[in-house]
């Protein structure tokens, strides 16, 4: 896929295949092209060149069908303040013709039973993000797109989100594409990691594959300690400076 | 049946918009309480004027003609007291008038004239009264004409001299009769702009629109539900205002109620169309504020909501009359006060509906969902 905005080349020839049930992390600094890539997968941006196929189908002509397959959670989405948790979930459930039963399942899954009648505005940051996640998995999505789902959350709240996602990984056949600033998040949740910079893929593979460097370090070691070290090796700078 | 409603996205969207609206105290205050307070304030300010009072400054020595008038009919002779002297003219045919005379220096009189606290100054000029007022100020003119009439021939004091006057008591001529239809029309415009336009812009800014259109939700359902809730709220707000005006001021509807419904609905369609159009693109609430004010403020000033637009220059009246708010206010006013029916409001209703439809379609063409 190729995508430019006027003079800015946001995505420059990315080719990516994500398998059913695979959890993929997109890592890269600001301006790497992660959000543009996610927006193209989500169908709100059209690539200048290339094509996106979801379960073998392009967006053009299949929009309604593909919307039913996708779940989405954006960074800092704010829902309707004066609706309760259950009202918000029922609203989104109605878009997929889902009933009360699925809403109850989700409330249980995201652990908001006690907050079901609380207004969204009164939820904590972590609870709000759990609600956003719940909304994104209402329809048992084939593809779940998560844009920095734990940014700004404290470690406990982040861990709660991870637990929900790990449960989802065990039970559903959902593929997930996650953009994140947290290396640990990618390491814990994802079985495939894509490192991007300047609209291109620098490298991709499992954590094990990525941390095993083809080039020995000055001390003669081939094993890297973390993804940050890998990024420094690839670009000469830290991932999130 | 219940489950069908639960799953129906249009029903859920409408229900959620309604809940969101009624749970917001600010919406209820500005939509219901504020127009009632405004009508109460303005209604009282312009209705409790059984006596018209003119404040007059007396500078220097009081002319003998005025002094003897005040000695005979006023609360005290002007020259004997250093304070205020009143002169009441009670006349049911011409209306009651009170002149309040205040002795003061020329400088003080000028300051009070500039502040609008008085409109007329009287001085003595070689034993005769000299009147000082701004000829461009209608209140000044009226105070002069009344006072000079009393001083010169005492005609206003004598009810018998007004046998050729037949006072009119016609319904719908009070200021409150003029004001309430205007407030209803203004309420529709203002509530729709803030309730639809601002909500859309805010949701775009919060990324909620993008989040919603990433689902199989029908985009038209979102807009239809917002407009439906707004029309319902406008109806409730208008009925409550009308009820209040009926109870407190005895306002009545002299024309056709179905025609009133028609023009009300057409006005809502026009405002909703404009609201969708102006909220179609921006995701910045600051710009949204500006756009909404740019639409509502000129119409609020020009459309004759609080005072008749006939005071504007003749060349501008054609434009003013074609503004949606003017059309709505004039038609509602005609039904309330002139007994108008279908014949009078069918054309404005049609034009308002077309205006709304054109703006709605144009807005949808450029609508940005994310």
């Amino acid at each position: 896929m190729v995508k430019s905005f006027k003079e800015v080349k946001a995505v420059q020839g990315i080719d990516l295949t994500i398998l059913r049930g695979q959890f993929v992390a997109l890592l890269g600094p600001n301006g790497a092209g992660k959000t543009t890539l996610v927006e193209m997968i989500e169908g709100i941006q059209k690539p200048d060149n290339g094509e996106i196929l979801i379960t073998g189908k392009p967006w053009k002509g299949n929009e309604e069908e593909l919307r039913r397959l996708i779940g989405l959670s954006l960074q800092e989405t704010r829902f309707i303040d004066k609706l309760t948790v259950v009202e918000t979930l029922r609203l989104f459930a109605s878009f997929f013709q889902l009933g009360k039963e699925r809403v109850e399942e989700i409330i249980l899954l995201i652990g908001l039973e006690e907050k079901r009648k609380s207004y969204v505005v009164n939820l904590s940051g972590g609870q709000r993000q759990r609600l956003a996640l719940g909304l994104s998995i209402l329809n048992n999505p084939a593809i779940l797109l998560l844009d920095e789902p734990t940014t700004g959350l404290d470690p406990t709240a982040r861990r709660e989100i991870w637990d929900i996602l790990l449960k989802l990984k065990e039970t559903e056949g959902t593929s997930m594409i996650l953009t994140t600033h947290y290396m640990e998040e990618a390491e814990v949740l994802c079985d495939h990691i894509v490192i991007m910079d300047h609209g291109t893929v620098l490298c991709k593979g499992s954590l094990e594959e990525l941390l095993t460097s083809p080039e020995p370090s000055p001390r003669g070691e081939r094993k890297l300690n973390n993804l940050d070290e890998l990024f420094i090796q690839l670009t000469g700078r830290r991932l999130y400076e | 049946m219940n489950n069908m409603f639960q799953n129906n996205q249009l029903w859920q969207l409408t229900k959620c918009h309604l809940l969101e609206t009624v749970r917001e105290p600010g919406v209820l205050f500005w939509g219901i309480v504020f127009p009632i307070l405004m009508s109460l304030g303005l209604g009282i300010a312009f209705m409790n004027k059984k006596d018209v009072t003119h404040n007059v400054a007396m500078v220097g020595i009081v002319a003998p003609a005025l002094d003897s008038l005040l000695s005979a009919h006023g609360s005290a002779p002007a020259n004997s007291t250093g304070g205020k002297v009143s002169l009441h003219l009670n006349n049911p045919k011409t209306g009651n008038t009170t002149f309040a005379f205040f002795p003061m220096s020329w400088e003080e009189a000028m300051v009070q004239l500039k502040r609008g606290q008085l409109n007329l100054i009287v001085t003595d000029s070689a034993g005769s009264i000299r009147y000082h007022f701004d000829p461009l100020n209608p209140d000044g003119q009226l105070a002069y004409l009344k006072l000079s009439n009393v001083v010169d021939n005492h005609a206003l004091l004598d009810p018998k001299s007004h046998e050729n006057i037949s006072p009119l008591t016609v319904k719908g001529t009070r200021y409150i009769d003029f004001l309430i239809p205007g407030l209803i029309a203004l309420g529709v415009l203002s509530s729709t702009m803030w309730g639809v336009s601002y909500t859309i812009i805010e949701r775009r800014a919060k990324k909620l629109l993008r989040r919603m259109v990433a689902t199989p939700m029908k985009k038209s359902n979102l807009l239809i539900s917002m407009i439906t809730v707004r029309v319902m709220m406008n109806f409730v707000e208008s009925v409550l205002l009308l009820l209040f005006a009926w109870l407190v001021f005895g306002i009545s509807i002299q024309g056709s109620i179905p025609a009133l419904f028609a023009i009300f609905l057409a006005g809502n369609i026009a405002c909703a169309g404009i609201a969708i159009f102006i909220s179609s693109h921006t995701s910045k609430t600051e710009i949204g504020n500006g756009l909404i004010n740019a639409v509502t403020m000129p119409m609020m000033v020009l459309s004759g909501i609080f005072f008749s637009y006939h005071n504007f220059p003749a060349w501008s009246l054609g434009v003013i009359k074609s503004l949606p708010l003017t059309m709505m206010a004039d038609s509602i006013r005609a039904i309330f006060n002139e007994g108008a029916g279908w014949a009078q409001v069918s054309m404005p209703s049609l034009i308002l509906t077309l205006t709304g439809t054109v703006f709605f379609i144009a807005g949808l063409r450029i609508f940005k969902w994310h």
Side-chain angles (χ1 to χ4, degrees):
Chain A
M1 283 167 289
V2 174
K3 180 73 184 175
S4 297
F5 299 100
K6 293 182 181 167
E7 301 302 311
V8 180
K9 290 176 180 169
V11 172
Q12 307 181 55
I14 288 181
D15 190 3
L16 202 60
T17 303
I18 295 161
L19 304 176
R20 182 187 292 271
Q22 198 173 39
F23 274 30
V24 177
L26 298 179
L27 285 176
N30 289 334
K34 304 186 300 288
T35 300
T36 307
L37 181 60
V38 168
E39 286 180 350
M40 286 194 286
I41 298 168
E42 187 194 326
I44 65 165
Q45 296 282 359
K46 264 173 68 178
D48 300 336
N49 257 315
E51 194 173 30
I52 291 167
L53 300 174
I54 296 170
T55 60
K57 289 173 183 163
W59 273 103
K60 196 173 178 187
N62 299 293
E63 190 168 336
E64 206 184 326
E65 187 187 339
L66 295 185
R67 291 253 169 263
R68 292 186 180 281
L69 300 179
I70 282 187
L72 174 70
S73 176
L74 301 166
Q75 188 189 354
E76 290 174 17
T77 304
R78 289 168 59 199
F79 297 98
I80 300 170
D81 287 345
K82 290 287 173 78
L83 286 188
T84 63
V85 167
V86 72
E87 285 163 353
T88 306
L89 281 161
R90 276 191 196 153
L91 173 66
F92 276 75
S94 73
F95 301 155
F96 298 96
Q97 278 98 46
L98 297 168
K100 276 181 179 176
E101 299 74 20
R102 182 59 183 158
V103 168
E104 295 306 319
E105 281 173 27
I106 293 292
I107 290 177
L108 217 59
L109 182 67
I110 59 177
L112 289 180
E113 300 97 311
E114 287 179 7
K115 294 283 173 181
R116 53 185 297 127
K117 288 188 177 168
S118 297
Y119 288 152
V120 171
V121 71
N122 295 332
L123 298 180
S124 69
Q127 289 165 341
R128 224 173 283 180
Q129 207 52 40
R130 272 191 275 159
L131 173 63
L133 187 60
L135 293 169
S136 68
I137 56 176
L138 259 171
N139 55 325
N140 277 323
I143 298 165
L144 181 59
L145 298 165
L146 303 178
D147 189 10
E148 303 191 12
T150 61
T151 297
L153 300 187
D154 60 61
T156 313
R158 192 177 306 148
R159 190 74 230 182
E160 286 168 351
I161 298 278
W162 292 357
D163 288 343
I164 297 167
L165 290 170
L166 288 170
K167 212 179 285 177
L168 191 73
K169 194 175 185 180
E170 284 168 17
T171 54
E172 319 276 347
T174 300
S175 307
M176 183 182 79
I177 300 168
L178 166 92
T179 70
T180 180
H181 275 182
Y182 302 109
M183 307 292 168
E184 194 193 350
E185 190 160 275
E187 291 171 11
V188 170
L189 294 175
C190 298
D191 29 40
H192 197 78
I193 294 165
V194 179
I195 298 186
M196 296 176 64
D197 194 23
H198 299 304
T200 58
V201 173
L202 297 180
C203 61
K204 56 186 175 183
S206 66
L207 183 66
E208 185 66 22
E209 287 165 359
L210 292 177
L211 294 184
T212 307
S213 170
E215 298 295 326
S217 70
R219 286 182 287 172
E221 294 164 342
R222 284 189 179 272
K223 187 79 178 167
L224 299 168
N225 287 318
N226 53 45
L227 293 168
D228 212 16
E229 273 187 29
L230 173 65
F231 194 76
I232 293 168
Q233 193 178 78
L234 292 168
T235 64
R237 64 184 202 277
R238 289 178 66 85
L239 189 51
Y240 294 108
E241 287 185 325
Chain B
M1 182 71 177
N2 189 36
N3 201 35
M4 193 181 86
F5 268 123
Q6 290 292 337
N7 297 350
N8 184 294
Q9 54 174 268
L10 182 58
W11 162 250
Q12 282 291 334
L13 280 163
T14 309
K15 188 182 111 182
C16 288
H17 287 314
L18 187 62
L19 288 174
E20 181 195 10
T21 306
V22 297
R23 284 171 182 170
E24 190 56 68
V27 171
L28 297 181
F29 175 80
W30 291 109
I32 294 172
V33 181
F34 185 70
I36 286 176
L37 289 178
M38 199 190 282
S39 67
L40 185 67
L42 289 171
I44 289 170
F46 287 90
M47 271 186 75
N48 285 355
K49 287 193 171 176
K50 288 176 183 169
D51 289 359
V52 176
T53 301
H54 298 290
N55 292 333
V56 182
M58 294 187 297
V59 175
I61 303 164
V62 179
L66 180 59
D67 194 38
S68 58
L69 176 76
L70 294 177
S71 300
H73 303 283
S75 56
N79 283 328
S80 67
T81 65
K84 174 188 164 186
V85 182
S86 298
L87 173 66
H88 301 287
L89 308 176
N90 296 325
N91 191 323
K93 285 190 169 180
T94 59
N96 297 341
T97 301
T98 299
F99 286 101
F101 295 90
F102 297 91
M104 62 180 78
S105 68
W106 182 259
E107 289 74 20
E108 281 176 316
M110 282 296 115
V111 171
Q112 294 209 13
L113 191 73
K114 286 172 187 172
R115 288 178 183 170
Q117 291 167 335
L118 54 86
N119 298 307
L120 184 64
I121 302 167
V122 289
T123 56
D124 174 75
S125 173
S128 307
I129 300 181
R130 182 161 286 273
Y131 301 93
H132 308 262
F133 65 95
D134 179 357
L136 298 178
N137 182 332
D139 286 338
Q141 286 180 340
L142 188 61
Y144 157 70
L145 289 170
K146 281 186 180 176
L147 184 60
S148 60
N149 176 285
V150 178
V151 171
D152 294 343
N153 55 26
H154 294 201
L156 274 174
L157 288 169
D158 180 12
K160 285 179 186 167
S161 66
H162 299 109
E163 282 172 352
N164 56 344
I165 294 176
S166 298
L168 284 174
T169 46
V170 184
K171 273 178 133 186
T173 56
R174 301 167 304 169
Y175 178 67
I176 195 74
D177 298 312
F178 177 88
L179 180 68
I180 292 294
L183 283 183
I184 288 174
L186 180 63
V188 168
L189 176 76
S190 177
S191 297
T192 309
M193 286 298 145
W194 291 104
V196 176
S197 275
Y198 192 80
T199 306
I200 288 175
I201 294 166
E202 195 187 27
R203 286 188 182 174
R204 193 181 287 118
K206 284 176 165 181
K207 297 185 189 171
L208 188 53
L209 279 189
R210 177 181 164 193
R211 183 63 192 83
M212 285 174 137
V213 295
T215 68
M217 180 198 75
K218 275 182 86 176
K219 293 170 183 171
S220 55
N221 280 346
L222 179 72
L223 299 179
I224 289 170
S225 64
M226 286 177 108
I227 293 170
T228 305
V229 169
R230 190 31 58 195
V231 174
M232 282 163 60
M233 289 304 294
N234 287 345
F235 180 75
V236 171
E237 289 165 12
S238 302
V239 167
L240 288 176
L241 178 61
L242 188 56
L243 202 63
F244 172 82
W246 173 65
L247 286 171
V248 176
F249 299 109
I251 199 167
S252 62
I253 302 169
Q254 297 179 41
S256 158
I257 303 272
L260 182 61
F261 273 108
I263 193 71
F264 182 80
L265 191 63
N268 273 274
I269 292 170
C271 294
I274 297 168
I276 295 292
F277 181 77
I278 65 166
S279 63
S280 59
H281 226 66
T282 184
S283 56
K284 290 194 168 67
T285 48
E286 297 85 354
I287 294 176
N289 261 330
L291 287 171
I292 292 168
N293 283 325
V295 170
T296 52
M297 289 300 279
M299 283 205 257
M300 202 166 92
V301 173
L302 295 172
S303 294
I305 301 304
F306 300 102
F307 300 99
S308 171
Y309 55 75
H310 289 98
N311 292 323
F312 286 106
W315 58 263
S316 64
L317 292 182
V319 177
I320 290 172
K321 284 180 182 173
S322 61
L323 293 172
L325 184 60
T326 317
M327 231 176 257
M328 198 177 8
D330 280 355
S331 301
I332 296 174
R333 212 168 264 148
I335 292 170
F336 269 61
N337 300 331
E338 299 161 26
W342 286 105
Q344 289 82 9
V345 302
S346 54
M347 187 51 78
S349 298
L350 184 68
I351 295 170
L352 286 170
T353 306
L354 282 174
T355 305
T357 309
V358 167
F359 273 106
F360 187 79
I361 292 169
L364 278 191
R365 280 182 174 271
I366 57 169
F367 204 90
K368 224 172 96 181
W369 289 94
H370 40 77

